[in-house]
Amino acid sequence: MAESNFVDYVKIFCRSGKGGAGSTHLHREKFVPKGGPDGGDGGRGGHIYIKGNRNYWTLLHLKYARHIFAGHGESGGKNRSFGADGEDKTIEVPLGTVAYDADTREFLCEITEHDQQLILLKGGRGGQGNWHFRTSTLQTPRFAQPGEPGIERAVVLELKVLADVGLVGFPNAGKSTLLSTVSAAKPKIADYPFTTLEPNLGIVSYRDNRSFVMADIPGIIEGAHEGKGIGLRFLRHIERNAALLFMVPATSENVKQDYDILLNELVQYNPELLDKKRVLAVTKCDLVTEEEERKLASSLPKDIPTVFISSVSGKGIDTLKDLLWNSINC
């Protein structure tokens, strides 16, 4: 099986540049044998920046470039000449990328806008030359400051997909089929669980030339918040969605129970997900009768907008779009 080009997690090793040393030079020329100190300052070490780029949608470009080293600052020179600053390095990432310290899991920064640029690691400051240390009692200092060392850090970059609506459901709930029906996205569709192994994005057209972005998240299973299945790897993508569309097939033995399990997995992973707008879609309604549908309706939760849909026949799709649009914009 070919390796996927969708990479949403990388660990990289970064090192900012060390500062250049200050100079201890003493001014000398033909008729000035004791001109005094004129050593310049060292240049600062190179910074490592992280920058948002909307043209990237994955961290694939960093998968095989995991060592990012900035340049060192140059030493100061005579005549109070400053050393050159070290070369900066910029890591370009897709929007929705979060950086953590790999060892402590300390949050470092988050990139959500195009061209947003932050310093990930600061370069070391350059040392001051001996010119700064002259005094009335020490007119010829023969010392200068060394440059500050750079910073070394292992950094984890995680991509959290940015979308208006995230699809939440068990494997084979019809998420990919719905996305292919309402958008131009072409996710892999098959009749076995875990067909989707990476998030897929689609732009859903709405009335009056309006649109919103829908994300097909790989299926969740009970215990996903503990790492079962591929839950932990993809639950983070749901954090960025403005609204969540829960999808449970009409052929399920207990639709409400399945919804409760899905909701519990999200809450166990991040309780703040309860604050997001939610819509429940009962899918595959072309496989049940109208009478069975009415029985299902009476058992569904009352605190969430619900719609019965069929991606095959098109039933309820327009109503679903209305509910989702209202959820995003209210």
Side-chain angles (χ1 to χ4, degrees):
M1 179 178 173
E3 188 173 359
S4 169
N5 285 334
F6 182 83
V7 177
D8 59 357
Y9 178 99
V10 293
K11 181 179 179 181
I12 59 178
F13 181 76
C14 300
R15 184 176 66 203
S16 62
K18 64 181 179 182
S23 171
T24 58
H25 188 268
L26 300 175
H27 183 70
R28 294 289 183 268
E29 56 182 297
K30 188 172 183 180
F31 298 108
V32 187
K34 296 183 179 180
D38 69 347
D41 300 345
R44 69 158 176 83
H47 299 319
I48 294 183
Y49 293 94
I50 185 169
K51 181 179 180 181
N53 187 334
R54 64 184 169 213
N55 297 314
Y56 285 115
W57 65 280
T58 172
L59 297 170
L60 177 66
H61 60 292
L62 296 173
K63 186 174 182 181
Y64 302 107
R66 296 188 175 181
H67 293 82
I68 312 294
F69 297 156
H72 299 312
E74 294 185 5
S75 299
K78 62 182 179 180
N79 296 326
R80 294 171 58 188
S81 297
F82 291 168
D85 292 341
E87 180 187 5
D88 296 330
K89 291 290 187 180
T90 300
I91 305 169
E92 294 195 341
V93 296
L95 309 188
T97 299
V98 182
Y100 299 95
D101 186 293
D103 299 319
T104 65
R105 290 297 294 178
E106 174 193 358
F107 172 83
L108 300 177
C109 63
E110 179 178 10
I111 299 294
T112 58
E113 299 177 4
H114 181 62
D115 282 340
Q116 178 186 1
Q117 182 167 289
L118 302 171
I119 294 180
L120 191 61
L121 295 180
K122 283 187 175 182
R125 290 182 299 179
Q128 292 184 323
N130 63 350
W131 181 83
H132 290 277
F133 301 105
R134 71 199 190 289
T135 66
S136 58
T137 57
L138 182 61
Q139 298 183 7
T140 312
R142 299 178 183 274
F143 58 88
Q145 284 182 330
E148 287 185 345
I151 300 173
E152 294 184 350
R153 174 177 277 166
V155 177
V156 166
L157 299 178
E158 290 184 354
L159 172 62
K160 298 180 181 181
V161 169
L162 292 171
D164 298 308
V165 177
L167 306 184
V168 182
F170 291 118
N172 251 23
K175 301 184 296 299
S176 298
T177 305
L178 175 64
L179 185 66
S180 66
T181 299
V182 300
S183 75
K186 300 299 178 186
K188 182 179 178 181
I189 300 172
D191 60 353
Y192 54 84
F194 294 112
T195 308
T196 302
L197 293 176
E198 61 189 46
N200 293 293
L201 298 180
I203 299 176
V204 181
S205 298
Y206 191 59
R207 297 186 178 92
D208 303 323
N209 294 319
R210 294 174 292 183
S211 63
F212 57 89
V213 179
M214 180 179 285
D216 173 20
I217 308 298
I220 296 172
I221 64 172
E222 189 169 7
H225 70 279
E226 298 173 343
K228 293 182 180 178
I230 50 178
L232 279 180
R233 184 179 169 191
F234 294 113
L235 276 171
R236 65 172 173 269
H237 293 298
I238 297 173
E239 293 180 300
R240 291 295 180 81
N241 305 143
L244 301 177
L245 175 59
F246 288 78
M247 300 181 64
V248 181
T251 53
S252 169
E253 293 183 4
N254 191 324
V255 174
K256 184 179 184 304
Q257 183 179 12
D258 284 354
Y259 165 74
D260 290 339
I261 292 173
L262 290 169
L263 184 61
N264 179 64
E265 290 303 319
L266 267 58
V267 172
Q268 293 294 324
Y269 174 73
N270 183 354
E272 293 181 5
L273 293 175
L274 271 180
D275 298 331
K276 293 187 180 292
K277 298 291 183 65
R278 286 169 276 157
V279 174
L280 173 61
V282 181
T283 65
K284 303 183 181 181
C285 287
D286 55 299
L287 301 179
V288 297
T289 64
E290 291 186 3
E291 183 179 350
E292 290 173 323
E293 191 176 301
R294 285 194 294 271
K295 289 181 180 179
L296 277 175
S298 63
S299 64
L300 296 179
K302 307 301 181 185
D303 60 341
I304 178 174
T306 304
V307 59
F308 289 84
I309 67 169
S310 169
S311 300
V312 175
S313 67
K315 173 182 177 179
I317 297 299
D318 289 337
T319 303
L320 175 62
K321 288 183 180 181
D322 290 336
L323 288 173
L324 293 175
W325 182 262
N326 292 332
S327 297
I328 296 168
N329 294 281
C330 291

